[in-house]
Amino acid sequence: LQTQSGGEKYIDCQENGAVELYWNNEKKMETYQYGVNFTQNIKTELHVNLLDNGEAIFGTGQDLKIYHDGNNSFIKEAGTGSLIIDSDSQVIFTTPTFTVNNAANSETMITASEDGAVKLYYDNAQRLETFDLGIDIGTSATGNFGIRWGGSSYNYTNIWAEHGSGDLWLAGGLKPPSGSAAFVSSFGSS
């Protein structure tokens, strides 16, 4: 289908092949064996609906995919570059829990929970956790501790403010360099 003079195409239909649509004598869309190709922009004033496992694919090498598999939603960047989220303002994630895992999804690196802790991990082992009184490094948060670090049970060094009194406590003590007998602690000295 073309102008009467034959100088401008509207629609070109090929037997056993593509149907091509033109605007101002430039091809804008064509059908092919797997669907439809657009040569320039697509504009819609409503929605683009994809069923489960339908993918929105970007990049010549299918570098970025966005899809839903029926259970989970995915943004998958598989190209040579990085996935960059760029904003002129702030980026806000709204979720009750937030987790960052390694590329293989086999190790946790960061978790954050609504009205709860933020946890940092090293090699899939938790190393730092926030709690209602401060931060906990290396162990779980309990009692009056504001900052503590070390091992388990009460076998660690702590600095904490006692609830209600404002007193600052030091457990484990401060030891001077080797060879000196002095030792300072909230629980006495030696």
Side-chain angles (χ1 to χ4, degrees):
L1 185 61
Q2 58 189 3
T3 58
Q4 187 173 3
S5 66
E8 191 169 314
K9 287 185 179 180
Y10 300 140
I11 301 173
D12 186 2
C13 303
Q14 301 165 14
E15 185 177 356
N16 298 320
V19 173
E20 300 173 345
L21 297 181
Y22 291 77
W23 182 85
N24 197 22
N25 211 34
E26 290 183 20
K27 184 168 66 172
K28 299 297 180 181
M29 185 187 85
E30 67 179 344
T31 61
Y32 76 117
Q33 62 184 352
Y34 300 111
V36 179
N37 276 330
F38 294 89
T39 60
Q40 293 186 353
N41 299 327
I42 300 172
K43 181 179 179 182
T44 177
E45 294 187 17
L46 291 175
H47 309 284
V48 175
N49 293 318
L50 300 174
L51 300 178
D52 289 348
N53 297 307
E55 299 176 338
I57 300 173
F58 305 87
T60 303
Q62 301 185 2
D63 303 312
L64 175 65
K65 295 180 180 182
I66 301 174
Y67 61 97
H68 181 79
D69 70 358
N71 295 307
N72 299 297
S73 298
F74 297 86
I75 300 174
K76 184 174 183 178
E77 206 299 311
T80 56
S82 300
L83 176 63
I84 298 170
I85 299 172
D86 187 2
S87 171
D88 288 341
S89 184
Q90 58 182 323
V91 176
I92 299 173
F93 295 96
T94 57
T95 179
T97 55
F98 177 79
T99 302
V100 177
N101 289 345
N102 66 346
N105 200 26
S106 61
E107 291 186 5
T108 301
M109 298 173 0
I110 301 171
T111 63
S113 300
E114 183 176 22
D115 300 325
V118 175
K119 301 175 184 179
L120 301 179
Y121 295 77
Y122 175 82
D123 197 19
N124 208 38
Q126 182 182 319
R127 294 294 183 241
L128 185 139
E129 176 180 0
T130 62
F131 65 107
D132 61 342
L133 300 173
I135 62 170
D136 186 19
I137 302 172
T139 59
S140 299
T142 58
N144 293 317
F145 301 105
I147 300 174
R148 66 181 176 178
W149 59 93
S152 59
S153 206
Y154 285 93
N155 185 22
Y156 46 71
T157 303
N158 313 255
I159 299 174
W160 76 93
E162 186 176 38
H163 180 69
S165 73
D167 292 337
L168 184 64
W169 293 84
L170 172 65
L174 295 173
K175 288 185 109 173
S178 159
S180 174
F183 180 81
V184 178
S185 172
S186 300
F187 298 104
S189 61
S190 60

